[in-house]
Amino acid sequence: MARAAAVTSPTRRPLGAPADRSEAVLSRLQLLVTRKLDGLLQGDYAGLLPGPGSEAGESREYRPGDDVRRMDWPVTARTTTPHVRRTVADRELETWLAVDLSASLDFGTGQWLKRDVVVAAAAAIAHLTVRGGNRIGAVIGSGGGAAAPTGRWRAASPVAGPGVYTRLPARSGRKEAQGLLRAIAGTEIRPGRGDLGRLVDMLNRPPRRRGVAVVVSDFLAPPAQWVRPLRKLRVRHDVLAVEVVDPRELELPDVGVLPVVDPETGELHEVQTADPALRHRYAAAAAAQRAEISAALRSAGAAHLRLRTDRDWLLDMVRFVAAQRHARTRGTTR
């Protein structure tokens, strides 16, 4: 029940042709990201998850939550107190995006469509990543029959299988990042099921040096499908899961008989939303579903950022980045 309502597609807002709409939305998003992130986030950010780097630095006493893989055993043995080795941040990071553009993302009852928030998250990540020679690439997954991006990125051909998966090679520079964002924004969403687990697993092949991996999706696919590839990804990379949510996926409005359709299967249902017991059961099922998603992401070791279509997603992202930086540095600047 929660799944059916979560993917109901309302009447689209008239924004012109798809290409014009993508360019207009992308231009507005880039302007918002540049103004707010540069103004609210101070300091040099290597990305949304400021990685610990690989060059050895000084040691300090162990604190709960520190990565035990960074234990400094010689210092620990000499002092009889657990110590961890600080590392110098690597400024030449490679960030990879797994962008889920399945049919369930073509929905929104707030200020934005869910797919717009997906593109917005990608734009913010690119803005925080492409500095100091950092590279960013992406793997895009969509339903069956989706067209591959055009332009310079055409060389990255779609991968066959359930849904369509397109790999965009990692490149450095703002112009290359803008081209990547245009490719993401220009990817057409069509009916058909994708495979989120396979999309995540494509970031594991071929193996790459340690970096940052970001998965942007609504995570409505069963966790059993994607949690194992996510755990495998976490072994080598810092992983961020960006969950995109619409308020109608959490609760139903009291509007009488509401027709809902699943764009991935075409199934149509009529729901009597005037029934308070049904609305309560729906809200409880939706809360349980989101709790299961959060638990699966936590068990995989991924940082979790939830963005909603009816809230200021950019402010939520700024707070998340600031909290991540504070947790990494324990309140001190690096």
Side-chain angles (χ1 to χ4, degrees), residues 3 43 47 61-62 71 105 114 178 244 253 262 272 311 318:
R3 171 68 175 177
E61 289 189 11
Y62 173 86
M71 292 293 295
L105 273 297
K114 286 168 65 177
Q178 289 176 355
V244 180
D262 186 337
Q272 177 53 267
R311 290 182 48 173
V318 168

Side-chain angles (χ1 to χ4, degrees), residues 13 26 36 50 61 71 110 136 139 146 178 181 183 213 216 229-230 235 262 283 285-286 312:
R13 293 185 284 270
L26 188 57
K36 289 198 174 183
E61 289 189 11
M71 292 293 295
I136 185 168
V139 176
Q178 289 176 355
L181 292 175
V216 189
L230 204 63
V235 171
D262 186 337
D312 187 345

